[in-house]
Amino acid sequence: MSVTDVAEKWVEEAAAMTQPSRVVWCDGSKAEYDALIESMLRDGTLIGLNQRTYPNCYLHRSHPQDVARTEQLTFICSRSQDEAGPTNNWMAPAEAKQKAGAYFKGSLKGRTMYVIPYLMGPAGSSMSRVGIMVTDSEYVVASMHVMTRVGAVAVQHMRSDDDFIAGVHSMGDLSPDRRLILHFPEEKLIWSVGSGYGGNALLGKKCHALRLASSQARQEGWLAEHMLIIGVEDPEGRITYLAAAMPSASGKTNLSMVVSSLPGWRAWTVGDDIAWMHVDASGQLRAINPERGFFGVAPNTSPKTNPNATEMVRSNTIFTNVAMTPTGEPWWEGLTPEPPAGLLDWQGRPWNPASGPAAHPNSRFTVLAEQCPSIAPNWEDPQGVPISGLIFGSRRTKVIPLVFEAFDWSHGVFLGSAMSTETTAAITGQVGVVRRDPMAMIPFCGYNMADYFSHWLATGNRIAKPPKIFRVNWFRKGDDGKFLWPGFGDNMRVLKWMVERIHGARTSAQETPIGWLPRPGDLDTRGLTIKDESLREALRVDATEWLGALDDLESFYKGFGRRLPATIAKTLADTQRKFRG
Ligand code: GTP
Ligand code: SPV
Ligand code: MN
């Protein structure tokens, strides 16, 4: 493969720092993937699963301290701290390079450095972008094969000699004390050391496709978002495309391949985690999925909750940190109602239920998107799909109703900026703590989030017919601690309401201070077993609760100072006024 001189020179520099004994350029071929799997089976990095029931499926067990994204060790290293903004960890570029440089120095001595040229986005799309990453981990190379398009196809999409995001990765010693995930937006550069976990180590994903891409997108006039992309087909055969932002482990993969409980309605999957969206020449917002595969949460994936995912991971899948049955099958909490006997837990020990779940709560599957039974036939269309609706969803036990619709684009941007969510096992730290998470981008926005809100507002002005914006919450609970809304396949009932709102007919809603809210009778509940009072509670807007939440939002906004767009501050004040009556 021939690459540009700039790329070759950069790889030489990475090698000079890490001192590998061998440099291998990856071509993305099946032979290369197979050889990596063989090598990992030999050295124990992978364990073969039951090849009869799970053909070409493997299990990887991480270091027990390396099982999720570590946000406290993730930094935006822009020249100025203001550019990173108050919601990002920031480190000065020189200091960052000095610190991480010490961990990288000689870290590949006696080992192989793999060079992975990868393409984010479909071949032939002007929205696709190139990265070149180096790594010492075969697990990372194999995962990048699944999650991105590796090899010559990447190089072919470089628009100039230096048109690539460069990423250096090394496992280091896996100690969190010597782990850093660093982003240098001005240099189009990522340095990641000390972790082999997905979001920390597969640099095409969160580091490139969100943190650096969001910063590029702002300069180039597009959007890089933590969003699934879905086509909703109605009984007339019309497909309406939606993109939905939800925080980590909060329902994107599930919604992207939802099997509808409503007859005649079905979902087509375009992407499950990241959307890159451009306004085309006619003023239409269009989205591509920059990824090639899914790195999905295993726990609670079952034939009941997510039949498509359950089917898609029956072959050609790498599982990470799931449990294993005595017959070599993967298992995680929720897969079957009862755990099978004789499980090995995610660390390979005989499972003792007293010492926690058998599968790690953030255990995952890595699989090609094309294996998804509901994959949209046009999911790799270089033009992307036309987006008619955007959804912001989060995980909130209280306050936030099941669904409501923004009054217009700028109100929708306000609703996105106002999101908060309960933390999950996808990040290291406490689970279930409410934190602010505008647009589900708090861990992923590569620049000052106030400027990001401005960019969203400005983008709306360029769209001929801005998509309607919705807010959802599948996770509201009743006083009994149970979810009020059944979720999963029944979420199609909510999507149906949205699609009908988008096409301007048939369904109604009532105006409230936070937007257009369906009355219980406005949702299609045919065949649904839900108590009237549960549905009413799921849709309830409580003025006192909201005024409290808006106070909290106001103090969050204060952190941005004068950079916060005036429209956002005004919308907050208007909403408070409406609630006060
Ligand atoms: P990342 O890959 O971390 O970005 O996560 P994600 O947003 O794709 O989340 P995912 O769809 O994997 O769901 C995470 C967890 O939420 C799983 O345990 C799901 O079972 C659960 N979940 C998803 N949808 C629903 C729902 O509608 N209701 C309820 N109660 N739980 C859900
Ligand atoms: C997330 O945490 O949002 C994920 C998994 O999608 S990771 O690739 O680790 O970011
Ligand atoms: Mn994610």
Side-chain angles (χ1 to χ4, degrees):
M1 190 186 338
S2 71
V3 288
T4 65
D5 293 348
V6 184
E8 251 167 37
K9 184 161 167 288
W10 176 77
V11 170
E12 277 163 25
E13 280 168 22
M17 175 165 73
T18 55
Q19 295 167 26
S21 59
R22 201 163 76 106
V23 176
V24 172
W25 282 78
C26 299
D27 62 11
S29 64
K30 180 164 185 313
E32 182 174 88
Y33 181 82
D34 292 345
L36 287 161
I37 299 286
E38 278 306 311
S39 164
M40 287 189 278
L41 286 170
R42 270 196 309 273
D43 74 9
T45 305
L46 290 185
I47 297 162
L49 291 168
N50 188 318
Q51 295 299 301
R52 192 175 53 79
T53 53
Y54 281 84
N56 300 313
C57 290
Y58 307 96
L59 167 62
H60 172 69
R61 295 191 184 120
S62 311
H63 187 286
Q65 290 209 76
D66 187 31
V67 293
R69 284 185 296 101
T70 40
E71 293 181 358
Q72 72 282 11
L73 303 173
T74 302
F75 292 83
I76 301 298
C77 308
S78 43
R79 259 173 254 132
S80 100
Q81 182 164 8
D82 264 1
E83 183 54 30
T87 63
N88 276 313
N89 297 321
W90 175 82
M91 210 189 285
E95 184 194 348
K97 284 195 181 160
Q98 198 206 346
K99 275 203 174 134
Y103 310 149
F104 273 124
K105 194 163 177 238
S107 66
L108 268 70
K109 271 195 185 135
R111 310 176 50 213
T112 302
M113 181 171 92
Y114 293 94
V115 184
I116 315 170
Y118 63 88
L119 179 67
M120 300 308 288
S125 174
S126 61
M127 299 181 220
S128 296
R129 293 289 183 272
V130 177
I132 302 178
M133 78 169 283
V134 301
T135 181
D136 54 1
S137 158
E138 293 185 334
Y139 169 78
V140 167
V141 184
S143 301
M144 286 293 286
H145 265 241
V146 179
M147 298 304 296
T148 74
R149 295 155 178 95
V150 171
V153 66
V155 181
Q156 286 155 10
H157 283 74
M158 284 167 59
R159 297 163 299 179
S160 61
D161 277 9
D162 66 345
D163 183 30
F164 62 95
I165 300 286
V168 193
H169 172 257
S170 168
M171 301 285 275
D173 65 6
L174 292 180
S175 163
D177 296 334
R178 280 173 296 282
R179 178 181 304 164
L180 285 169
I181 297 107
L182 307 171
H183 306 75
F184 305 88
E186 289 112 348
E187 297 174 65
K188 297 189 293 187
L189 178 67
I190 305 158
W191 278 18
S192 166
V193 61
S195 168
Y197 170 75
N200 295 334
L202 311 181
L203 302 188
K205 198 170 176 54
K206 296 313 184 1
C207 301
H208 176 166
L210 288 179
R211 296 197 191 93
L212 289 194
S214 63
S215 155
Q216 284 189 319
R218 169 206 185 193
Q219 284 155 24
E220 298 174 6
W222 48 284
L223 295 167
E225 300 299 325
H226 192 203
M227 287 180 166
L228 68 93
I229 309 165
I230 188 180
V232 178
E233 182 172 343
D234 59 28
E236 287 78 51
R238 175 180 56 188
I239 300 179
T240 304
Y241 293 94
L242 309 169
M246 295 166 181
S248 303
S250 298
K252 290 182 302 301
T253 300
N254 277 269
L255 188 64
S256 75
M257 53 192 76
V258 63
V259 174
S260 167
S261 65
L262 277 178
W265 290 75
R266 67 163 300 173
W268 294 103
T269 311
V270 179
D272 85 324
D273 197 51
I274 300 176
W276 284 358
M277 298 188 286
H278 291 238
V279 184
D280 74 10
S282 73
Q284 170 68 52
L285 187 66
R286 306 190 74 91
I288 59 162
N289 170 11
E291 300 191 281
R292 185 182 182 220
F294 303 137
F295 180 61
V297 175
N300 289 320
T301 304
S302 75
K304 263 193 146 153
T305 57
N306 192 344
N308 281 333
T310 316
E311 193 179 322
M312 114 187 136
V313 302
R314 287 305 292 251
S315 62
N316 311 314
T317 301
I318 301 173
F319 294 92
T320 300
N321 296 333
V322 300
M324 191 169 75
T325 71
T327 48
E329 288 168 336
W331 191 85
W332 47 83
E333 275 67 19
L335 176 60
T336 52
E338 293 301 326
L343 280 175
L344 293 182
D345 73 9
W346 62 277
Q347 296 183 74
R349 308 168 302 196
W351 180 45
N352 171 9
S355 62
H360 188 276
N362 191 40
S363 53
R364 299 221 168 216
F365 51 78
T366 308
V367 64
L368 285 171
E370 67 187 32
Q371 293 214 168
C372 181
S374 60
I375 195 73
N378 58 340
W379 80 282
E380 292 184 289
D381 186 337
Q383 308 297 317
V385 296
I387 297 295
S388 322
L390 295 171
I391 303 170
F392 294 117
S394 73
R395 188 182 273 274
R396 288 299 307 272
T397 306
K398 303 229 168 303
V399 188
I400 312 295
L402 176 64
V403 60
F404 53 103
E405 179 192 319
F407 296 120
D408 55 23
W409 178 271
S410 88
H411 184 242
V413 174
F414 163 74
L415 292 180
S417 79
M419 271 218 301
S420 55
T421 198
E422 284 147 35
T423 51
T424 64
I427 47 170
T428 302
Q430 244 184 311
V431 170
V433 184
V434 178
R435 70 162 179 183
R436 309 259 33 133
D437 194 358
M439 282 82 168
M441 281 289 279
I442 204 80
F444 306 123
C445 183
Y447 61 102
N448 191 309
M449 224 163 186
D451 299 349
Y452 170 77
F453 300 153
S454 300
H455 181 52
W456 261 86
L457 291 166
T459 303
N461 294 332
R462 293 172 38 223
I463 306 175
K465 184 169 179 273
K468 277 190 185 291
I469 299 181
F470 302 91
R471 175 75 168 91
V472 303
N473 177 25
W474 313 141
F475 300 94
R476 199 171 187 176
K477 289 181 177 172
D479 292 336
D480 59 1
K482 295 211 175 103
F483 292 117
L484 290 161
W485 177 251
F488 302 106
D490 288 315
N491 291 335
M492 184 57 90
R493 299 170 190 277
V494 176
L495 297 182
K496 178 186 179 199
W497 181 78
M498 292 177 188
V499 166
E500 291 176 346
R501 295 288 299 170
I502 286 166
H503 298 294
R506 288 206 292 249
T507 0
S508 49
Q510 57 185 323
E511 190 173 346
T512 76
I514 55 170
W516 295 101
L517 188 85
R519 287 170 288 251
D522 295 329
L523 291 174
D524 187 341
T525 53
R526 278 174 300 166
L528 177 70
T529 36
I530 185 171
K531 287 198 212 110
D532 287 350
E533 67 204 64
S534 298
L535 186 55
R536 265 202 311 277
E537 177 62 17
L539 290 169
R540 189 171 60 90
V541 176
D542 182 285
T544 314
E545 283 178 356
W546 270 92
L547 281 167
L550 294 172
D551 275 352
D552 192 60
L553 179 61
E554 195 174 338
S555 29
F556 172 62
Y557 282 166
K558 285 218 172 87
F560 296 108
R562 297 166 61 89
R563 237 159 149 141
L564 184 79
T567 325
I568 300 264
K570 182 174 179 302
T571 309
L572 169 63
D574 288 348
T575 313
Q576 287 170 320
R577 197 171 322 110
K578 285 182 193 169
F579 271 121
R580 290 196 186 105

